[in-house]
Amino acid sequence: MTHWFHRNPLKATAPVSFSLYGVAASTGANKICNDLKAARARLLELLTDVTANAEMMKNATDAYFSLLQGFIISLDGTTQENKLRFIQNFKWTDTLQGNTPSAQQDAVFELVSMGFNVALWYTKFGSRMSGKEDITENEAKEVHRSLKTAAGIFRHLKDSYIPRLITPAEKGRDLEARVIDTYIVQCQAEAQEVTIARAIELKHNANLIAALAYETANFYQKADHTLTSLEPDYTAKWRKYLQLKQCFYMAYAYCYHGQTLLASDKCGESIRSLQEAEKFYGKAEDLCKEYRQTKGPGSTAKPSEQLFFRKLGSWIKNTLEKCQRENGFIYFQKVPPEAPQLELKANYGLVEPIPFEFPALHPQWSPEVYASFDLTKGLKDDKAKPKPEEEVKPMKEPDLKPQKDSGCLIS
């Protein structure tokens, strides 16, 4: 299912040397600075490495974040701010705002920005894995886990670290509440898509599938509504994707709800439910075209070209025709003028983010090493002040090559 998910670009960043000459006044302090530079470069390299897997990413993130914690956690036994927190300048772009970066001289800004990119990597890793030909059950579980992991990272950043920033995020920036909330909900919705595909594959109860599809559609609607007050110049394409997915899963919900009604001998109501499914499927098709034509950041998904998408259209059509035949021969029930109200609640399969915590402080950090950073000496190689207007080169992300579409997420 290559190109099933929309993905915004990774955040780009300016190089950071951690060259605290003069301040890092011991061998241990210098080693930490050198290791920070190397660990950061390694992590950024992995973010665009198509061969990277979840274990490699965890090792790289643990290595960097455990060292960076020494610039954030209080290490002198007091409740005062870490003396190193504001010593290094960091520049990061935003996923929706092009190549002009924001800059803050704050290690917490670096932590949340790099953490945000790691969460984005998990969404891209899950998307890439879902595009494999003949995906196995274990690989489908990995897609599911990756999306829940991403949601957990986004939520942890929002709840525990973004509020600590001295300079609050500007409107439409990644660390602003509406943007990060949309990422969280989108990850949950996409993880539930994997659950739905699994339920369909195993021919689970139609009522359960309808309920899961309805909950997933509501997730997409919530994500879309979260972006309504932001500028359409950079959100319009993303919103079209969220809207088409909402309509697609509403079509699924009404389709499977129609099957449930038919099984209860409510053929007239079943026909009306399937007519509503047909209507939402048509809206999804129209939105797919609008999405492709809308300019904006991110890779362009191609859901209407996927067998999983096209199968639903055939399924609705065939089931509706079957119900109409049955009604003409057996039931003779009136078709209600109004579509049935979906009051479906899934008791199983709902997705919650996997809780995330940053790694513990690296063993290289000790009170003695921390004390050897001497801020009274000042930096010998004091860099120029931040210049946010300077562009940062975008990350070179790998292209996704379409593979044979088996029509489902799990085989």
Side-chain angles (χ1 to χ4, degrees), residues 172-188:
R173 298 285 183 178
D174 288 336
L175 307 183
E176 198 244 349
R178 286 168 292 187
V179 176
I180 200 165
D181 279 343
T182 303
Y183 277 113
I184 293 169
V185 176
Q186 180 180 338
C187 287
Q188 289 178 274

Side-chain angles (χ1 to χ4, degrees), residues 19-26 30 87 372-381:
S19 299
L20 305 182
Y21 301 122
V23 170
S26 72
N30 277 313
I87 198 170
S372 72
F373 284 89
D374 188 354
L375 268 63
T376 62
K377 294 183 179 179
L379 293 175
K380 289 182 180 178
D381 185 19

Side-chain angles (χ1 to χ4, degrees), residues 6 10 22 48 132 140 192 204 276 278-279 292 303 335 365:
H6 173 91
L10 288 167
T48 57
K132 291 181 68 174
Q192 280 188 193
H204 276 292
E276 198 69 7
E278 201 170 46
K279 184 181 85 174
R292 284 196 299 271
V335 177
W365 284 102

Side-chain angles (χ1 to χ4, degrees), residues 6 8-9 94-98 170-174 176 178-179 183 227-240 294-298:
H6 173 91
N8 289 325
D94 292 89
T95 56
L96 303 176
Q97 305 262 357
E170 298 172 18
K171 180 181 177 181
R173 298 285 183 178
D174 288 336
E176 198 244 349
R178 286 168 292 187
V179 176
Y183 277 113
L227 295 175
T228 52
S229 55
L230 295 177
E231 294 297 327
D233 286 352
Y234 53 80
T235 60
K237 189 176 188 69
W238 194 9
R239 288 193 63 197
K240 289 293 183 188
T294 303
K295 293 182 179 179

Side-chain angles (χ1 to χ4, degrees), residues 37-177:
K37 179 182 177 181
R40 188 179 198 264
R42 172 60 180 153
L43 178 50
L44 289 171
E45 185 182 86
L46 267 189
L47 289 170
T48 57
D49 184 350
V50 75
T51 66
N53 58 37
E55 183 181 1
M56 293 164 67
M57 182 55 61
K58 186 179 188 311
N59 290 339
T61 54
D62 284 354
Y64 181 57
F65 290 136
S66 62
L67 287 167
L68 188 65
Q69 293 277 34
F71 280 56
I72 297 169
I73 298 170
S74 179
L75 297 175
D76 58 5
T78 72
T79 57
Q80 292 183 338
E81 200 71 72
N82 186 306
K83 66 183 180 182
L84 301 175
R85 176 177 169 180
F86 304 109
I87 198 170
Q88 178 70 60
N89 183 51
F90 302 95
K91 289 182 183 179
W92 284 92
T93 64
D94 292 89
T95 56
L96 303 176
Q97 305 262 357
N99 299 328
T100 302
S102 302
Q104 291 192 36
Q105 199 146 323
D106 185 350
V108 173
F109 178 65
E110 168 72 0
L111 185 80
V112 296
S113 298
M114 187 68 86
F116 198 101
N117 245 12
V118 171
L120 287 175
W121 179 86
Y122 276 102
T123 70
K124 290 169 183 278
F125 175 68
S127 177
R128 192 162 61 242
M129 183 162 282
S130 74
K132 291 181 68 174
E133 187 177 344
D134 297 327
I135 184 170
T136 66
E137 182 178 334
N138 284 338
E139 287 168 338
K141 287 179 180 177
E142 185 76 4
V143 174
H144 197 244
R145 184 163 48 248
S146 295
L147 293 165
K148 292 193 295 180
T149 298
I153 297 172
F154 285 131
R155 180 173 284 180
H156 186 57
L157 295 176
K158 182 197 171 192
D159 293 346
S160 301
Y161 285 92
I162 291 174
R164 294 180 60 184
L165 290 172
I166 303 300
T167 306
E170 298 172 18
K171 180 181 177 181
R173 298 285 183 178
D174 288 336
L175 307 183
E176 198 244 349

Side-chain angles (χ1 to χ4, degrees), residues 189-190 193 216-224 242 245-246:
E190 290 177 346
E193 289 194 58
T216 303
N218 286 340
F219 267 140
Y220 277 118
Q221 185 178 55
K222 179 181 177 183
D224 174 48
L242 299 171
K245 283 294 187 77
Q246 189 246 339

Side-chain angles (χ1 to χ4, degrees), residues 290-319:
E290 292 175 27
Y291 167 74
R292 284 196 299 271
Q293 293 164 0
T294 303
K295 293 182 179 179
S299 61
T300 300
K302 300 173 183 175
S304 60
E305 296 180 11
Q306 309 298 325
L307 194 53
F308 186 66
F309 188 98
R310 299 197 306 272
K311 269 184 176 179
L312 177 59
S314 301
W315 185 241
I316 293 169
K317 180 176 179 291
N318 294 338
T319 310

